[in-house]
Amino acid sequence: GLGSFWKHRVDYALTNFSKRLETRKRMPTLDKFNKTHIEKFVLPLQSNMTPGAQQYFWHPHVPGLGLKLTPNKAVYIVQRRVNGEKNTRIVIGSYRELTVEDAEKKAGKLLQGMKDGLNPITAKKTEKVRGQTLQQVLDDYLTQYDKRLRPTTKNLCRGALRRRFSDWASLPITNIEEDMVAERQIALSNAHGPRGKGEAHANQAMRTLRTLFNFAMLAYKDENKKPLIVSNPVRGLKPRRLWNKSVSRDELIADDQ
């Protein structure tokens, strides 16, 4: 009935309160957050900690800055809610490598950014994705579609990067622009090989590049789940009339196998 409902709600609230209180006991705020105090009162606690244990000690004047202690190391951390979501916690450096003053400065910048809605964890992931090279995009593509791609298709993709875009392999994909693609298409088309001009292989290389960009547009997102790559530079070939007339696929496979 109604009485049992409210009893359940009260019991639930008391249980949560007890858990929060216990958590606070394990995460005390230090009276002083300096080298002398930490090394006198905090670090000695490591000798009595069991494997896997961890404790947190918070700065009395910089809310969100703390020291995480484990049996064999101590690291500075910052913790704060970002955009009203659950607490975000990030390590900013080792106690042995950063002074308290340096940790306070780093924490101040991070905490201000978090207050403004910037999540440092997702921002770091975004920066990593922005730096994805053409080689890494190819590797991701082949890994994700490993079971769906034919061996000949995989060979064509690898061959295109190895033979036509080797100097772009270490470039972040976000640095590859329409003008670069157009110039490369012209150069590849006019290159002479054992079978004559390279028009066929230029087209195949550009199709591979187009596929990798289409994949990257779907696979790589920022912290707001928006695509990091919003356009495909290979599309600029059509309005410039740089695609060559189609040729035999057998020639393409023979060259890249």
Side-chain angles (χ1 to χ4, degrees):
L2 191 60
S4 62
F5 170 78
W6 283 111
K7 182 178 184 302
H8 174 75
R9 292 295 300 270
V10 169
D11 289 344
Y12 179 78
L14 288 173
T15 299
N16 278 350
F17 177 76
S18 297
K19 287 181 179 178
R20 290 198 300 270
L21 189 62
E22 184 61 31
T23 299
R24 288 180 182 177
K25 288 179 181 178
R26 297 196 305 268
M27 304 171 69
T29 298
L30 296 175
D31 294 330
K32 297 179 181 178
F33 202 94
N34 57 41
K35 187 176 188 300
T36 301
H37 195 80
I38 289 172
E39 295 192 352
K40 184 176 181 180
F41 297 106
V42 177
L43 297 187
L45 297 175
Q46 288 178 306
S47 60
N48 295 321
M49 295 179 73
T50 58
Q54 53 188 25
Q55 284 185 275
Y56 297 86
F57 301 87
W58 299 103
H59 198 297
H61 308 302
V62 183
L65 171 60
L67 188 73
K68 177 183 176 181
L69 197 68
T70 62
N72 47 28
K73 68 179 179 179
V75 294
Y76 296 106
I77 61 168
V78 293
Q79 176 175 295
R80 195 185 197 284
R81 290 184 183 274
V82 181
N83 295 322
E85 298 178 358
K86 66 179 183 179
N87 277 328
T88 295
R89 181 183 298 162
I90 184 171
V91 174
I92 60 175
S94 166
Y95 174 77
R96 299 299 181 188
E97 297 172 359
L98 273 183
T99 65
V100 172
E101 292 75 19
D102 288 339
E104 289 171 341
K105 290 177 183 177
K106 290 188 71 173
K109 293 179 181 179
L110 281 169
L111 290 165
Q112 183 58 53
M114 294 165 80
K115 181 180 179 181
D116 295 337
L118 178 64
N119 188 319
I121 296 177
T122 53
K124 188 176 181 180
K125 290 179 180 177
T126 298
E127 283 306 307
K128 182 180 179 181
V129 169
R130 286 186 193 280
Q132 288 285 89
T133 66
L134 185 58
Q135 179 67 60
Q136 290 171 324
V137 173
L138 172 63
D139 293 341
D140 288 348
Y141 173 70
L142 294 179
T143 298
Q144 182 160 332
Y145 295 106
D146 179 56
K147 295 182 179 179
R148 293 171 57 181
L149 297 174
R150 296 177 180 178
T152 51
T153 303
K154 295 177 184 179
N155 287 337
L156 284 171
C157 291
R158 295 190 184 101
L161 190 64
R162 184 176 66 252
R163 298 169 184 269
R164 323 299 175 194
F165 304 115
S166 61
D167 55 330
W168 290 3
S170 59
L171 269 183
I173 193 172
T174 50
N175 288 8
I176 300 174
E177 301 175 346
E178 277 194 16
D179 288 345
M180 295 168 61
V181 172
E183 291 173 7
R184 182 57 54 93
Q185 171 73 344
I186 293 170
L188 293 174
S189 298
N190 291 324
H192 285 268
R195 305 179 190 281
K197 291 181 70 175
E199 295 171 336
H201 296 294
N203 276 6
Q204 182 59 52
M206 290 303 161
R207 290 191 189 99
T208 298
L209 188 63
R210 180 176 61 192
T211 296
L212 294 180
F213 265 94
N214 286 339
F215 166 75
M217 290 168 71
L218 292 172
Y220 305 137
K221 308 291 179 67
D222 65 13
E223 59 267 28
N224 297 315
K225 307 300 182 183
K226 294 182 179 180
L228 284 171
I229 299 167
V230 296
S231 64
N232 192 325
V234 182
R235 291 178 181 172
L237 295 180
K238 186 174 182 179
R240 301 185 193 202
R241 299 179 182 275
L242 291 176
W243 285 106
N244 301 303
K245 291 183 179 180
S246 299
V247 295
S248 170
R249 180 178 173 83
D250 292 336
E251 293 182 32
L252 299 174
I253 296 175
D255 181 73
D256 282 321
Q257 277 186 334

